[in-house]
Amino acid sequence: TSPFAWLRTRFYYLLIRLYFDQEFSIEEFKRGAKQAFSVVSKLLSQRKLDLLEELVSAEVLQVLKEKISLLPDSHREALAADIDAIMYTTEGDVRIYYDDDGIKFVSILMCFWYLNGANLPDEVPGEAKVFQIVFGDENKKEKKHLLTANYEFQREFTEGAKPDWTITRIEHPRLLE
């Protein structure tokens, strides 16, 4: 992350605390986003899209229904991120905006790097094979892939709105395209 982007996101966090939610904590948000990412990615890999209705926007859910049905099993399995396999999490873009009706929104893009042992073909570009771990004897090797995902979380801060974050964008590069 560039120093300018880091400074800009910190400024937005200050604005969120000053004008929208005095108890907002980016560390607490990141913990919740990490947990939500793990749950949603596992539900995606299991094709349990009906359980995502409260977590994901209707527009994203419709796109996911179309894409998941076309995925090969290896790609679908690679979507799942166990919370203990998430190696790195960082926030990307933070936006504060108002729509034409004066409704206030905050969006935070989260980037996740996670290990997954799905049997992906070697020609999958954009991901790195990180580990080949030998358990027991030389004949049994387990491959782990370092994969990335971007999830955007949005919350409405208009008076009387539910205080829930909704996922408004899901990207698993090279897997869910």
Side-chain angles (χ1 to χ4, degrees):
T1 304
S2 74
F4 174 74
W6 182 87
L7 199 56
R8 187 180 66 127
T9 58
R10 296 310 176 261
F11 176 70
Y12 277 120
Y13 298 148
L14 176 64
L15 290 177
I16 293 168
R17 279 194 299 277
L18 289 175
Y19 295 106
F20 299 108
D21 182 359
Q22 295 174 350
E23 296 177 16
F24 178 80
S25 159
I26 187 56
E27 294 308 318
E28 185 178 323
F29 175 83
K30 284 169 81 172
R31 276 192 298 277
K34 188 176 176 180
Q35 186 175 7
F37 164 62
S38 179
V39 168
V40 169
S41 68
K42 287 178 186 177
L43 291 172
L44 283 174
S45 74
Q46 298 166 359
R47 294 185 179 141
K48 295 183 177 177
L49 301 180
D50 54 322
L51 299 176
L52 294 175
E53 289 180 9
E54 296 294 317
L55 302 171
V56 177
S57 72
E59 297 83 12
V60 171
L61 192 55
Q62 184 59 40
V63 171
L64 289 172
K65 286 178 181 179
E66 295 169 14
K67 288 183 177 183
I68 292 292
S69 65
L70 303 174
L71 282 183
D73 287 343
S74 61
H75 284 92
R76 189 178 42 77
E77 291 168 7
L79 297 174
D82 187 58
I83 198 157
D84 295 329
I86 300 171
M87 299 288 101
Y88 185 69
T89 303
T90 188
E91 63 272 14
D93 194 27
V94 178
R95 295 181 298 151
I96 298 172
Y97 58 96
Y98 298 80
D99 73 2
D100 294 335
D101 298 323
I103 298 174
K104 302 179 258 186
F105 293 97
V106 172
S107 291
I108 302 175
L109 178 66
M110 295 297 297
C111 307
F112 304 95
W113 286 261
Y114 64 102
L115 290 174
N116 184 288
N119 188 19
L120 292 172
D122 288 335
E123 66 271 6
V124 174
E127 56 89 17
K129 292 178 195 78
V130 179
F131 297 110
Q132 266 195 358
I133 304 170
V134 178
F135 292 104
D137 60 53
E138 286 288 324
N139 297 326
K140 253 189 162 174
K141 291 185 179 180
E142 181 183 356
K143 287 184 187 179
K144 293 281 186 174
H145 302 275
L146 182 63
L147 302 169
T148 61
N150 302 309
Y151 281 46
E152 184 178 59
F153 295 83
Q154 182 183 83
R155 180 176 166 194
E156 181 182 342
F157 280 95
T158 309
E159 186 73 31
K162 293 190 317 185
D164 298 332
W165 290 90
T166 303
I167 298 170
T168 56
R169 182 169 61 174
I170 294 178
E171 297 172 345
H172 285 262
R174 311 292 187 251
L175 295 175
L176 192 62
E177 292 185 339

